[in-house]
Amino acid sequence: MLIRLTGGEVVDPVNGATAKRDVWIRDGLLVDAPKGATADETHDVSGCIVMAGAIDIHSHIGGGNVNTARLLLPEHHRSHLPRPANTPLSNAGWSTFQTGTLYAQMGFTTVVEPAMAPYTALHTHLELADIPIIDKATLAILGNDDFTLSLLRDSKSKAMLDDYVAWVIGSTRALGVKVINAGAAAAFKENVRSFSLDDTVPEYGVSSRKIVKSLQASVTRLDVPHPLHVHANNLGIAGSADTAAATIAATEGVPLHLAHLQFYGYGTEGKRKFSSEAARLAEAVNANPDVTIDIGQVMFGQTVTISSDVMRQFSAIGNASPKKTVILDGDGNGGGGIVPYRYKQDYYGSLQWAVGLELFLLITDPWRVYFTTDHPNGAPFTAYPELFELLMSSNARDAKSTELNATALGLTTLASVRREYTLEEIAIMTRAAPAKLLGLKDRGHLGAGGIADIAVYRKGRDIAKMFREAALVFKNGDLVVKNGKVTHYRWGKTLRLNPPPDKAMVKRMQAYHEERYGLSLDWFTFPDSAIQRPDPFAEVVS
């Protein structure tokens, strides 16, 4: 089928300046305008913005910890009952199926679950397979498991580490690798309660820095497109900016991605010893071309924090709202914690909100800063439309600032920053740059040969409304959203790497699992058929 979108203002930085032009789709792919052909279906999108489908590189949408959050809060997941206002997940307590619907309505077509413990990979993929419309990908967690730490402790070869990392990526169907507070979960088992970049893991004698640098180099040697995705030490505490700055400085010419930088943007100034260091971190990022970052923006209201950083989550128990938590001290990379939390418009919440916006606005290259709230940790992803407005309108930021704690905002540079994101910068940050970072050449743009993932937004003064209710959304050429509502369901696919496993490493892993767990490796691996989905939905939903 040949489909034509005509009359729209196409914002596609990869393929030239913003301009009015037609976009053509044939059999799910973008094509050049065919000479003399007549479209089978034409959509008049005059008065609209046309972009590629958006990509979210860091959103916790499936897997063990996400499901544990649902178990912790069953009162907010009973079917057919409204959830009480101002309670955990009252605005984020939807099902996996609804996750795809809500993302698609905003024009997002690809989402990455950034924290998959290798031993829960099957659970994660089964849950992600229940999310319709959008394509999904995962990052496998390494850096706290006994096998990685033993390789580093015993000074095994780089080739052996590479073989192990490749085996994990392949066997878990991941798109890349993430390290979470490297070594801290292992140290936590020895009653260590704080852990910094140059601290060493008891019994293994390797530092957090050594773990990060080793995995960073291995991912690079393996030609994994996405650099090592780093959740650094000391998240969320006063003075965490020192850790982030040290981690940025440690790249040493090798690519590295630093996750949810907002949670590391804190200094120790002021009476409360909690201040903004966003300007300092933005300067460090601007000066280091090897670093990319996502923000993890805080927005106000109730949410729940979900993290495999078991040390950090354990220390946050006292801040739980309501007062119930789950802490999991699992094997290696499998631990974590679930802590409900409410971001208030008080001193601390105001400062966190401002720090994220400072980073967005002070980091100058939109190709190296990515649009996230670390869903649901900083805010549910459904807060994205309001965040777009804050980035594109200094007046909107000023208006919101009047509601917040003046003392906290006085310790930031936000009021003096008048930058406003353009549509082209939004398209880079949420489309072109994520596709490049993840190595996904078939999306993030509207050029011929790309998949027909397209979002059409009706232009208007209300920026949040524009991005909340896409006028049209196409997924692989199928029209799935019209006027902000899903009209057709289909299944997306899993995006993954498939490095060939080293036979010697497979034998080594078989012996390791039998010795350590008394179980065959077959208990921890699974065939592709276990997570395959049937053909796309056939029915149209009105």
Side-chain angles (χ1 to χ4, degrees):
M1 173 180 278
L2 186 63
I3 302 171
R4 177 190 182 197
L5 277 63
T6 186
E9 186 176 341
V10 177
V11 182
D12 182 20
V14 173
N15 292 295
T18 298
K20 282 191 175 183
R21 65 177 176 87
D22 291 352
V23 175
W24 292 81
I25 305 168
R26 187 190 295 276
D27 300 330
L29 297 176
L30 294 156
V31 296
D32 291 325
K35 294 181 179 179
T38 301
D40 300 303
E41 183 179 300
T42 298
H43 297 269
D44 185 352
V45 292
S46 300
C48 294
I49 299 295
V50 182
M51 293 184 179
I55 302 170
D56 191 341
I57 71 162
H58 192 115
S59 180
H60 299 278
I61 57 172
N65 282 337
V66 173
N67 213 41
T68 302
R70 297 187 179 103
L71 294 173
L72 178 65
L73 303 159
E75 65 271 27
H76 308 306
H77 288 273
R78 294 174 183 148
S79 60
H80 311 300
L81 288 176
R83 299 181 180 91
N86 301 326
T87 55
L89 298 183
S90 61
N91 59 347
W94 45 78
S95 67
T96 49
F97 194 89
Q98 290 171 304
T99 295
T101 299
L102 293 167
Y103 260 117
Q105 288 171 177
M106 298 187 298
F108 280 77
T109 52
T110 304
V111 180
V112 178
E113 161 53 60
M116 176 179 65
Y119 295 149
T120 65
L122 177 58
H123 176 162
T124 302
H125 283 296
L126 287 172
E127 194 164 331
L128 294 179
D130 275 343
I131 300 176
I133 303 175
I134 62 174
D135 291 339
K136 288 82 60 176
T138 60
L139 302 179
I141 306 170
L142 288 175
N144 277 290
D145 56 297
D146 172 73
F147 198 85
T148 297
L149 297 178
S150 296
L151 288 178
L152 299 179
R153 177 196 60 200
D154 299 338
S155 300
K156 297 297 185 181
S157 68
K158 294 178 181 178
M160 185 175 288
L161 178 62
D162 293 352
D163 288 341
Y164 175 58
V165 172
W167 177 82
V168 169
I169 293 172
S171 65
T172 63
R173 281 72 170 168
L175 193 64
V177 176
K178 182 181 184 181
V179 62
I180 298 177
N181 199 355
F188 183 76
K189 300 177 189 299
E190 304 296 328
N191 292 319
V192 176
R193 293 296 177 264
S194 65
F195 199 73
S196 293
L197 187 62
D198 291 307
D199 289 340
T200 58
V201 184
E203 294 192 12
Y204 295 95
V206 296
S207 69
S208 187
R209 183 188 295 269
K210 174 70 172 178
I211 298 166
V212 171
K213 294 295 294 177
S214 298
L215 290 173
Q216 177 193 20
S218 180
V219 166
T220 303
R221 288 191 298 268
L222 290 168
D223 292 324
V224 175
H226 184 36
L228 181 66
H229 198 99
V230 178
H231 168 129
N233 319 89
N234 296 321
L235 179 143
I237 67 173
S240 56
D242 291 341
T243 299
T247 305
I248 291 169
T251 55
E252 299 174 338
V254 181
L256 178 144
H257 180 84
L258 194 55
H260 36 66
L261 188 60
Q262 178 277 136
F263 287 108
Y264 300 94
Y266 313 142
T268 57
E269 302 299 319
K271 291 182 178 180
R272 292 178 173 85
K273 304 298 182 184
F274 190 73
S275 58
S276 172
E277 287 284 342
R280 171 190 168 199
L281 292 185
E283 184 178 356
V285 172
N286 288 335
N288 191 333
D290 298 310
V291 172
T292 56
I293 67 101
D294 63 80
I295 297 295
Q297 176 67 35
V298 160
M299 302 289 273
F300 300 108
Q302 182 68 55
T303 191
V304 59
T305 64
I306 298 172
S307 179
S308 295
D309 188 346
V310 62
M311 184 178 289
R312 170 57 188 150
Q313 293 298 81
F314 182 80
S315 69
I317 288 175
N319 295 322
S321 176
K323 296 294 184 181
K324 56 178 179 177
T325 59
V326 173
I327 301 296
L328 304 170
D329 185 18
D331 183 85
N333 303 303
I338 315 301
V339 182
Y341 191 75
R342 180 172 179 77
Y343 289 103
K344 301 176 182 179
Q345 297 185 175
D346 58 8
Y347 177 91
Y348 297 99
S350 297
L351 190 127
Q352 289 180 290
W353 175 85
V355 165
L357 292 175
E358 285 183 283
L359 291 168
F360 268 122
L361 298 166
L362 294 174
I363 295 173
T364 55
D365 184 359
W367 287 92
R368 295 198 294 122
V369 57
Y370 299 88
F371 183 91
T372 69
T373 59
D374 188 18
H375 165 82
N377 294 314
F381 67 79
T382 48
Y384 286 178
E386 286 70 29
L387 180 53
F388 281 127
E389 183 171 45
L390 291 170
L391 295 178
M392 297 182 72
S393 170
S394 58
N395 288 336
R397 297 195 296 271
D398 291 344
K400 186 63 181 179
S401 294
T402 62
E403 304 173 13
L404 306 182
N405 185 283
T407 301
L409 297 183
L411 292 172
T412 77
T413 64
L414 184 60
S416 65
V417 182
R418 310 312 293 170
R419 177 185 175 188
E420 296 180 334
Y421 268 70
T422 65
L423 285 169
E424 290 76 13
E425 289 174 321
I426 293 294
I428 291 170
M429 181 173 61
T430 60
R431 274 90 172 164
K436 180 180 178 181
L437 184 75
L438 298 169
L440 304 175
K441 297 179 180 180
D442 64 349
R443 64 198 67 205
H445 64 86
L446 295 175
I451 59 174
D453 285 4
I454 304 171
V456 179
Y457 301 103
R458 194 167 287 107
K459 287 195 292 187
R461 293 183 178 180
D462 189 336
I463 297 171
K465 182 179 180 181
M466 180 176 78
F467 284 107
R468 186 182 303 111
E469 301 172 356
L472 299 173
V473 178
F474 293 84
K475 181 72 187 83
N476 291 88
D478 287 346
L479 180 60
V480 293
V481 171
K482 190 171 183 179
N483 296 324
K485 302 296 182 183
V486 171
T487 57
H488 174 73
Y489 284 98
R490 52 166 288 137
W491 295 116
K493 64 180 181 179
T494 298
L495 308 173
R496 56 167 294 196
L497 300 178
N498 193 20
D502 176 78
K503 293 181 180 179
M505 179 54 64
V506 173
K507 290 182 179 179
R508 188 181 182 98
M509 296 312 300
Q510 288 171 337
Y512 175 81
H513 283 80
E514 289 173 0
E515 178 182 351
R516 185 170 178 85
Y517 304 110
L519 295 171
S520 166
L521 185 60
D522 293 338
W523 283 87
F524 301 94
T525 58
F526 52 92
D528 287 335
S529 59
I531 58 174
Q532 286 177 345
R533 266 294 184 184
D535 291 335
F537 289 102
E539 72 271 17
V540 174
V541 180
S542 59

PDB file of all heavy atoms in Angstrom, residues 308-326:
ATOM      1  N   SER A 308      17.683  -1.133  40.861  1.00  0.00           N
ATOM      2  CA  SER A 308      18.528  -2.256  41.254  1.00  0.00           C
ATOM      3  C   SER A 308      19.708  -1.795  42.109  1.00  0.00           C
ATOM      4  O   SER A 308      20.566  -2.608  42.453  1.00  0.00           O
ATOM      5  CB  SER A 308      19.038  -2.989  40.006  1.00  0.00           C
ATOM      6  OG  SER A 308      17.969  -3.585  39.309  1.00  0.00           O
ATOM      7  N   ASP A 309      19.756  -0.507  42.425  1.00  0.00           N
ATOM      8  CA  ASP A 309      20.764   0.026  43.348  1.00  0.00           C
ATOM      9  C   ASP A 309      20.287  -0.251  44.769  1.00  0.00           C
ATOM     10  O   ASP A 309      19.710   0.605  45.444  1.00  0.00           O
ATOM     11  CB  ASP A 309      20.941   1.521  43.110  1.00  0.00           C
ATOM     12  CG  ASP A 309      22.105   2.118  43.891  1.00  0.00           C
ATOM     13  OD1 ASP A 309      22.624   1.453  44.811  1.00  0.00           O
ATOM     14  OD2 ASP A 309      22.494   3.269  43.583  1.00  0.00           O
ATOM     15  N   VAL A 310      20.523  -1.467  45.241  1.00  0.00           N
ATOM     16  CA  VAL A 310      19.972  -1.907  46.522  1.00  0.00           C
ATOM     17  C   VAL A 310      20.512  -1.074  47.678  1.00  0.00           C
ATOM     18  O   VAL A 310      19.791  -0.781  48.639  1.00  0.00           O
ATOM     19  CB  VAL A 310      20.244  -3.414  46.741  1.00  0.00           C
ATOM     20  CG1 VAL A 310      21.731  -3.707  46.793  1.00  0.00           C
ATOM     21  CG2 VAL A 310      19.543  -3.924  47.982  1.00  0.00           C
ATOM     22  N   MET A 311      21.766  -0.635  47.586  1.00  0.00           N
ATOM     23  CA  MET A 311      22.335   0.166  48.662  1.00  0.00           C
ATOM     24  C   MET A 311      21.605   1.503  48.784  1.00  0.00           C
ATOM     25  O   MET A 311      21.250   1.936  49.883  1.00  0.00           O
ATOM     26  CB  MET A 311      23.826   0.400  48.421  1.00  0.00           C
ATOM     27  CG  MET A 311      24.534   1.139  49.536  1.00  0.00           C
ATOM     28  SD  MET A 311      26.301   1.340  49.233  1.00  0.00           S
ATOM     29  CE  MET A 311      26.882  -0.341  49.432  1.00  0.00           C
ATOM     30  N   ARG A 312      21.367   2.156  47.656  1.00  0.00           N
ATOM     31  CA  ARG A 312      20.678   3.445  47.666  1.00  0.00           C
ATOM     32  C   ARG A 312      19.232   3.289  48.139  1.00  0.00           C
ATOM     33  O   ARG A 312      18.743   4.068  48.952  1.00  0.00           O
ATOM     34  CB  ARG A 312      20.716   4.068  46.268  1.00  0.00           C
ATOM     35  CG  ARG A 312      19.824   5.286  46.088  1.00  0.00           C
ATOM     36  CD  ARG A 312      20.145   6.374  47.087  1.00  0.00           C
ATOM     37  NE  ARG A 312      19.171   7.456  47.033  1.00  0.00           N
ATOM     38  CZ  ARG A 312      18.828   8.211  48.077  1.00  0.00           C
ATOM     39  NH1 ARG A 312      19.385   7.989  49.259  1.00  0.00           N
ATOM     40  NH2 ARG A 312      17.954   9.168  47.945  1.00  0.00           N
ATOM     41  N   GLN A 313      18.543   2.268  47.645  1.00  0.00           N
ATOM     42  CA  GLN A 313      17.145   2.081  48.014  1.00  0.00           C
ATOM     43  C   GLN A 313      17.008   1.737  49.491  1.00  0.00           C
ATOM     44  O   GLN A 313      16.056   2.167  50.150  1.00  0.00           O
ATOM     45  CB  GLN A 313      16.502   1.014  47.140  1.00  0.00           C
ATOM     46  CG  GLN A 313      16.352   1.410  45.667  1.00  0.00           C
ATOM     47  CD  GLN A 313      15.457   2.608  45.455  1.00  0.00           C
ATOM     48  OE1 GLN A 313      15.892   3.758  45.619  1.00  0.00           O
ATOM     49  NE2 GLN A 313      14.208   2.375  45.113  1.00  0.00           N
ATOM     50  N   PHE A 314      17.930   0.980  50.025  1.00  0.00           N
ATOM     51  CA  PHE A 314      17.898   0.665  51.454  1.00  0.00           C
ATOM     52  C   PHE A 314      18.031   1.933  52.290  1.00  0.00           C
ATOM     53  O   PHE A 314      17.332   2.116  53.294  1.00  0.00           O
ATOM     54  CB  PHE A 314      19.020  -0.317  51.797  1.00  0.00           C
ATOM     55  CG  PHE A 314      19.048  -0.735  53.240  1.00  0.00           C
ATOM     56  CD1 PHE A 314      18.187  -1.713  53.712  1.00  0.00           C
ATOM     57  CD2 PHE A 314      19.930  -0.144  54.134  1.00  0.00           C
ATOM     58  CE1 PHE A 314      18.204  -2.095  55.057  1.00  0.00           C
ATOM     59  CE2 PHE A 314      19.960  -0.514  55.476  1.00  0.00           C
ATOM     60  CZ  PHE A 314      19.091  -1.500  55.939  1.00  0.00           C
ATOM     61  N   SER A 315      18.899   2.837  51.860  1.00  0.00           N
ATOM     62  CA  SER A 315      19.101   4.081  52.617  1.00  0.00           C
ATOM     63  C   SER A 315      17.909   5.016  52.500  1.00  0.00           C
ATOM     64  O   SER A 315      17.762   5.938  53.316  1.00  0.00           O
ATOM     65  CB  SER A 315      20.366   4.796  52.124  1.00  0.00           C
ATOM     66  OG  SER A 315      20.188   5.308  50.810  1.00  0.00           O
ATOM     67  N   ALA A 316      17.041   4.801  51.507  1.00  0.00           N
ATOM     68  CA  ALA A 316      15.897   5.685  51.283  1.00  0.00           C
ATOM     69  C   ALA A 316      14.627   5.205  51.964  1.00  0.00           C
ATOM     70  O   ALA A 316      13.581   5.848  51.838  1.00  0.00           O
ATOM     71  CB  ALA A 316      15.643   5.829  49.782  1.00  0.00           C
ATOM     72  N   ILE A 317      14.695   4.104  52.705  1.00  0.00           N
ATOM     73  CA  ILE A 317      13.496   3.546  53.326  1.00  0.00           C
ATOM     74  C   ILE A 317      12.773   4.570  54.191  1.00  0.00           C
ATOM     75  O   ILE A 317      11.542   4.653  54.204  1.00  0.00           O
ATOM     76  CB  ILE A 317      13.862   2.298  54.158  1.00  0.00           C
ATOM     77  CG1 ILE A 317      14.212   1.134  53.229  1.00  0.00           C
ATOM     78  CG2 ILE A 317      12.718   1.905  55.084  1.00  0.00           C
ATOM     79  CD1 ILE A 317      14.690  -0.104  53.955  1.00  0.00           C
ATOM     80  N   GLY A 318      13.535   5.381  54.934  1.00  0.00           N
ATOM     81  CA  GLY A 318      12.920   6.363  55.823  1.00  0.00           C
ATOM     82  C   GLY A 318      12.102   7.416  55.114  1.00  0.00           C
ATOM     83  O   GLY A 318      11.269   8.088  55.735  1.00  0.00           O
ATOM     84  N   ASN A 319      12.313   7.588  53.799  1.00  0.00           N
ATOM     85  CA  ASN A 319      11.575   8.599  53.032  1.00  0.00           C
ATOM     86  C   ASN A 319      10.367   8.018  52.306  1.00  0.00           C
ATOM     87  O   ASN A 319       9.700   8.727  51.553  1.00  0.00           O
ATOM     88  CB  ASN A 319      12.509   9.240  52.002  1.00  0.00           C
ATOM     89  CG  ASN A 319      13.637  10.010  52.643  1.00  0.00           C
ATOM     90  OD1 ASN A 319      13.445  10.668  53.661  1.00  0.00           O
ATOM     91  ND2 ASN A 319      14.829   9.925  52.063  1.00  0.00           N
ATOM     92  N   ALA A 320      10.089   6.745  52.534  1.00  0.00           N
ATOM     93  CA  ALA A 320       8.997   6.098  51.812  1.00  0.00           C
ATOM     94  C   ALA A 320       7.657   6.756  52.144  1.00  0.00           C
ATOM     95  O   ALA A 320       7.374   7.090  53.300  1.00  0.00           O
ATOM     96  CB  ALA A 320       8.930   4.622  52.171  1.00  0.00           C
ATOM     97  N   SER A 321       6.831   6.932  51.116  1.00  0.00           N
ATOM     98  CA  SER A 321       5.501   7.500  51.300  1.00  0.00           C
ATOM     99  C   SER A 321       4.549   6.814  50.329  1.00  0.00           C
ATOM    100  O   SER A 321       4.643   7.028  49.120  1.00  0.00           O
ATOM    101  CB  SER A 321       5.521   9.011  51.045  1.00  0.00           C
ATOM    102  OG  SER A 321       4.220   9.556  51.126  1.00  0.00           O
ATOM    103  N   PRO A 322       3.657   5.930  50.840  1.00  0.00           N
ATOM    104  CA  PRO A 322       3.444   5.546  52.226  1.00  0.00           C
ATOM    105  C   PRO A 322       4.579   4.668  52.756  1.00  0.00           C
ATOM    106  O   PRO A 322       5.466   4.273  52.010  1.00  0.00           O
ATOM    107  CB  PRO A 322       2.124   4.773  52.175  1.00  0.00           C
ATOM    108  CG  PRO A 322       2.098   4.203  50.794  1.00  0.00           C
ATOM    109  CD  PRO A 322       2.724   5.232  49.913  1.00  0.00           C
ATOM    110  N   LYS A 323       4.515   4.366  54.020  1.00  0.00           N
ATOM    111  CA  LYS A 323       5.607   3.709  54.713  1.00  0.00           C
ATOM    112  C   LYS A 323       5.604   2.194  54.477  1.00  0.00           C
ATOM    113  O   LYS A 323       5.333   1.392  55.373  1.00  0.00           O
ATOM    114  CB  LYS A 323       5.540   4.010  56.215  1.00  0.00           C
ATOM    115  CG  LYS A 323       5.741   5.472  56.559  1.00  0.00           C
ATOM    116  CD  LYS A 323       7.168   5.926  56.227  1.00  0.00           C
ATOM    117  CE  LYS A 323       7.418   7.367  56.662  1.00  0.00           C
ATOM    118  NZ  LYS A 323       8.785   7.820  56.312  1.00  0.00           N
ATOM    119  N   LYS A 324       5.892   1.816  53.261  1.00  0.00           N
ATOM    120  CA  LYS A 324       6.106   0.403  52.968  1.00  0.00           C
ATOM    121  C   LYS A 324       7.072   0.298  51.798  1.00  0.00           C
ATOM    122  O   LYS A 324       7.017   1.102  50.856  1.00  0.00           O
ATOM    123  CB  LYS A 324       4.798  -0.316  52.672  1.00  0.00           C
ATOM    124  CG  LYS A 324       3.946   0.257  51.549  1.00  0.00           C
ATOM    125  CD  LYS A 324       2.707  -0.607  51.373  1.00  0.00           C
ATOM    126  CE  LYS A 324       1.783  -0.076  50.280  1.00  0.00           C
ATOM    127  NZ  LYS A 324       0.623  -0.967  50.068  1.00  0.00           N
ATOM    128  N   THR A 325       7.986  -0.671  51.892  1.00  0.00           N
ATOM    129  CA  THR A 325       9.028  -0.821  50.889  1.00  0.00           C
ATOM    130  C   THR A 325       9.317  -2.305  50.674  1.00  0.00           C
ATOM    131  O   THR A 325       8.923  -3.152  51.460  1.00  0.00           O
ATOM    132  CB  THR A 325      10.336  -0.131  51.319  1.00  0.00           C
ATOM    133  OG1 THR A 325      10.778  -0.713  52.554  1.00  0.00           O
ATOM    134  CG2 THR A 325      10.139   1.353  51.524  1.00  0.00           C
ATOM    135  N   VAL A 326      10.035  -2.577  49.606  1.00  0.00           N
ATOM    136  CA  VAL A 326      10.583  -3.910  49.362  1.00  0.00           C
ATOM    137  C   VAL A 326      12.063  -3.752  49.041  1.00  0.00           C
ATOM    138  O   VAL A 326      12.423  -2.953  48.175  1.00  0.00           O
ATOM    139  CB  VAL A 326       9.879  -4.614  48.183  1.00  0.00           C
ATOM    140  CG1 VAL A 326      10.590  -5.928  47.848  1.00  0.00           C
ATOM    141  CG2 VAL A 326       8.418  -4.876  48.493  1.00  0.00           C
TER     142      VAL A 326
END
